[in-house]
């Protein structure tokens, strides 16, 4: 606000403070089966953030997604995952159908293991549909011409050793074969060609960071959707990842197993991947949901209320008004420190995001949603405030949450400062809508 005396209002969010890479960037995609759509959501957020990928390296389903990235065709990748289901991955035999139903019903480990054993006795699940699907979607020549380096990991059972190949080492016409060898999940029929039998590369290494290092990359994005292999764990223990400038992204929450190729789960992972990447980049905050705010709204609102509103606000929390007390003194010297401790965060903007996230969790709003400060103030100011009933009894550092929100609602409605959504909110929201956010 112009023309006002200096107050300790935090500076507006600066895009320069976001996570940035200095040089060319490599993308490392782990295995994780049906969770693979998460990586495509992440890729969309990286693109929206202006991070250009110069090399991409994947294991298992990560190699499938790596091919889409190397083709630089996000729309194709999103289409692939939006359409994928059990029938596009495998032949649905009665035995396969039985295991699928057990997984959906969350049967016990013993029952699922017995079902998988039946499949393995028949030498595994036939993934001919996935083979046809990938041949129709992947343009090998486009990948070779793209200028984006590509690499994958598989494991040769015939030689009992890992096979790590870059695009210039894969024989022409064999790219899909090697991708399927990399993504040869243990319950699938083994991939056999070139007199060798292959299994999923994740049995050896699920995060092929060395492939990027050998190509000279220092700036890397790792998207980890699976369990770490022994080699991966050893690298974490020895701090090998810390030698690079690495952005590490992993799902905040999981919605299904690596074998649950169900559209509802796929769509959730697409959206979550996008939101988790915004969080990893330092753009949004939240443990329950995702809060995006760039202004110090609480300070600006308190700065812009009149004396009558201030007295009414204090009365809501049964606080006696002192003659020397101003709204800004009350906020910065009395209320803010208590909220910082209670919410375990620092700064006025951090408190707003933490308070909004905590409140939305109690209100049970959609967790895979992007929310701004305006959404928070509108939610607590709704009439009638039926959604606030679930907050009765909740406190933050002994401050009754319902009373705190009632006070903030009054300040919001009576303040001369008009709250707006951040400038880039609509861009992020548009991307989420494309990915299928609710």
């Amino acid at each position: 606000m112009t023309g006002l005396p200096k107050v300790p209002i935090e500076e507006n969010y600066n895009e320069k403070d976001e996570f940035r890479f200095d040089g060319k960037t490599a993308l490392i995609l782990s295995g994780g089966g049906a969770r693979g759509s998460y990586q495509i959501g992440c890729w969309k957020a990286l693109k929206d953030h202006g991070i250009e990928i110069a090399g991409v390296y994947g294991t298992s389903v990560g190699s499938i997604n790596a091919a889409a990235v190397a083709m630089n065709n996000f729309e194709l990748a999103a289409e692939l995952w939006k359409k994928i289901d059990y029938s596009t991955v495998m032949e649905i035999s009665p035995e396969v159908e039985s295991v699928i139903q057990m997984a959906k019903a969350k049967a016990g480990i013993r029952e699922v293991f017995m079902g998988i054993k039946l499949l393995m006795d028949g030498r595994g699940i036939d993934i001919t549909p996935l083979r046809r699907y990938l041949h129709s979607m992947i343009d090998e020549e486009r990948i070779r011409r793209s200028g984006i380096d590509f690499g994958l990991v598989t494991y040769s059972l015939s030689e009992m050793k890992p096979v790590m190949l870059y695009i210039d080492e894969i024989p022409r016409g064999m790219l899909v074969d090697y991708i399927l060898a990399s993504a040869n999940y243990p319950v699938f029929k083994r991939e056999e060609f070139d007199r060798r039998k292959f299994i999923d590369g994740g049995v050896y290494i699920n995060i092929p960071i060395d492939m990027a290092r050998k190509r000279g990359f220092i700036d890397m994005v790792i998207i980890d959707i699976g369990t770490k292999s022994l080699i991966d764990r050893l690298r974490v223990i020895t701090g090998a990842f810390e030698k690079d400038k690495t952005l590490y992204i992993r799902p905040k929450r999981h919605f299904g197993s690596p074998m649950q190729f169900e559209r509802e789960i796929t769509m959730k992972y697409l959206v979550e991947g996008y939101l988790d990447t915004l969080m990893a980049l330092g753009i949004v905050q939240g443990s329950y949901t995702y809060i995006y705010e760039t202004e110090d709204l609480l300070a600006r609102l308190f700065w812009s209320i009149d004396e009558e509103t201030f007295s009414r606000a204090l009365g809501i929390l049964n606080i006696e008004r002192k003659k020397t007390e101003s709204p800004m003194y009350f906020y910065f010297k009395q209320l803010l420190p208590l909220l910082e401790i209670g919410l375990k965060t620092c700064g006025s903007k951090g408190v707003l995001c933490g308070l909004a996230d905590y409140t939305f969790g109690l209100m049970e709003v959609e967790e895979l949603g992007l929310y701004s400060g305006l959404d928070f103030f509108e939610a607590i100011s709704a009439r009638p405030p039926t959604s606030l009933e679930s907050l009765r009894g909740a406190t933050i550092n002994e401050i009754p949450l319902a009373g705190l929100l009632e006070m903030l609602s009054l300040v919001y409605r009576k303040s001369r400062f008009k709250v707006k959504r951040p400038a880039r909110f609509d861009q992020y929201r548009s991307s989420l809508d494309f990915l299928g956010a609710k």
Side-chain angles (χ1 to χ4, degrees):
M1 298 176 67
T2 60
L4 295 176
K6 286 187 177 180
V7 293
I9 295 176
E10 295 178 24
E11 294 293 329
N12 284 357
Y13 178 82
N14 193 330
E15 292 181 22
K16 294 180 181 179
D17 296 331
E18 296 172 357
F19 190 101
R20 296 284 176 181
F21 289 113
D22 300 320
K24 61 178 185 175
T25 305
L27 182 60
I28 319 295
L29 303 177
S30 83
R35 298 168 180 164
S37 60
Y38 179 90
Q39 294 174 338
I40 302 305
C42 294
W43 181 30
K44 176 58 175 169
L46 294 173
K47 289 173 72 69
D48 285 355
H49 196 61
I51 295 177
E52 297 294 330
I53 305 302
V56 57
Y57 310 94
T59 297
S60 192
V61 71
S63 70
I64 296 175
N65 288 334
V69 174
M71 290 167 60
N72 198 22
N73 193 334
F74 165 75
E75 288 73 18
L76 181 70
E79 178 187 357
L80 185 155
W81 279 103
K82 287 179 179 181
K83 290 182 177 180
I84 207 163
D85 59 17
Y86 291 105
S87 65
T88 56
V89 174
M90 61 192 75
E91 297 288 357
I92 309 297
S93 66
E95 294 81 8
V96 171
E97 180 64 29
S98 175
V99 173
I100 291 173
Q101 293 305 320
M102 281 190 288
K104 287 182 177 181
K106 297 182 180 180
I109 294 177
R110 182 177 180 276
E111 288 77 10
V112 174
F113 176 79
M114 292 300 294
I116 291 175
K117 185 177 183 299
L118 287 173
L119 295 177
M120 298 308 293
D121 289 344
R123 298 185 180 179
I125 298 174
D126 182 354
I127 58 166
T128 297
L130 179 60
R131 187 183 308 276
R132 288 195 297 262
Y133 197 35
L134 293 186
H135 272 294
S136 70
M137 301 290 278
I138 294 176
D139 185 339
E140 180 175 339
E141 289 306 310
R142 180 171 175 174
I143 292 174
R144 293 184 183 276
R145 297 191 307 266
S146 70
I148 300 174
D149 194 32
F150 169 90
L152 58 77
V153 181
T154 182
Y155 192 87
S156 171
L157 290 172
S158 304
E159 302 160 290
M160 295 302 292
K161 69 176 186 179
V163 178
M164 301 183 183
L165 297 173
Y166 298 101
I167 186 64
D168 54 2
E169 298 172 323
I170 297 174
R172 286 189 178 274
M174 297 289 290
L175 178 58
V176 170
D177 297 284
Y178 275 99
I179 288 174
L180 288 169
S182 178
N184 189 250
Y185 204 64
V187 297
F188 294 166
K189 287 183 178 179
R190 299 284 75 82
E191 287 295 314
E192 295 186 53
F193 55 87
D194 194 24
R195 298 181 180 180
R196 291 186 291 179
K197 185 179 292 187
F198 298 93
I199 194 172
D200 197 296
V203 302
Y204 175 73
I205 183 169
N206 209 33
I207 304 175
I209 194 169
D210 281 347
M211 296 195 76
R213 287 201 187 111
K214 288 177 181 178
R215 292 298 213 197
F217 288 99
I218 297 175
D219 295 348
M220 306 184 197
V221 179
I222 296 174
I223 305 176
D224 178 12
I225 57 172
T227 56
K228 293 183 177 69
S229 71
L230 176 60
I231 300 297
D232 296 321
R233 292 186 187 281
L234 288 174
R235 288 192 173 127
V236 170
I237 292 170
T238 59
F241 291 163
E242 297 175 3
K243 298 177 183 178
D244 311 288
K245 185 175 180 182
T246 303
L247 183 68
Y248 181 79
I249 306 169
R250 185 171 174 80
K252 182 190 290 188
R253 53 180 68 84
H254 282 299
F255 303 102
S257 77
M259 281 292 289
Q260 284 186 268
F261 293 95
E262 298 172 21
R263 189 176 186 280
E264 182 179 357
I265 293 175
T266 294
M267 301 303 286
K268 285 184 177 181
Y269 275 123
L270 274 170
V271 172
E272 185 187 35
Y274 187 89
L275 291 168
D276 282 354
T277 302
L278 293 185
M279 183 167 291
L281 290 167
I283 297 170
V284 304
Q285 300 180 48
S287 58
Y288 173 78
T289 187
Y290 304 83
I291 311 297
Y292 174 45
E293 189 48 65
T294 60
E295 287 197 78
D296 188 355
L297 297 181
L298 289 173
R300 293 183 182 278
L301 287 170
F302 271 98
W303 178 249
S304 305
I305 57 175
D306 57 30
E307 291 294 317
E308 179 185 355
T309 299
F310 181 46
S311 296
R312 288 176 57 192
L314 292 178
I316 292 173
L317 292 180
N318 297 317
I319 299 174
E320 184 179 350
R321 173 71 188 275
K322 299 177 182 178
K323 293 181 180 179
T324 58
E325 195 173 67
S326 69
M328 294 304 283
Y329 180 89
F330 167 74
Y331 176 64
F332 278 104
K333 297 298 184 180
Q334 297 175 294
L335 182 60
L336 181 61
L338 293 175
L339 295 180
E340 286 178 315
I341 295 171
L343 294 168
K344 298 179 180 179
T345 188
C346 296
S348 184
K349 284 185 286 189
V351 161
L352 173 63
C353 291
L355 180 59
D357 185 62
Y358 178 56
T359 302
F360 285 151
L362 293 175
M363 293 171 66
E364 297 183 345
V365 303
E366 171 57 46
E367 55 191 2
L368 290 180
L370 182 66
Y371 304 95
S372 66
L374 177 61
D375 297 309
F376 167 67
F377 287 113
E378 288 293 302
I380 65 174
S381 301
R383 292 291 183 268
T386 54
S387 58
L388 300 185
E389 289 301 317
S390 60
L391 311 182
R392 302 296 175 187
T395 62
I396 298 177
N397 203 6
E398 300 185 2
I399 302 173
L401 181 59
L404 174 64
L405 297 181
E406 184 180 349
M407 179 188 72
L408 294 180
S409 171
L410 174 67
V411 171
Y412 165 68
R413 289 181 282 111
K414 296 296 184 178
S415 176
R416 297 185 302 276
F417 177 75
K418 300 305 177 185
V419 176
K420 298 179 181 179
R421 289 192 176 91
R424 289 187 293 173
F425 186 90
D426 288 343
Q427 176 195 352
Y428 296 145
R429 210 29 266 186
S430 177
S431 292
L432 286 167
D433 289 342
F434 177 82
L435 292 170
K438 294 181 179 178

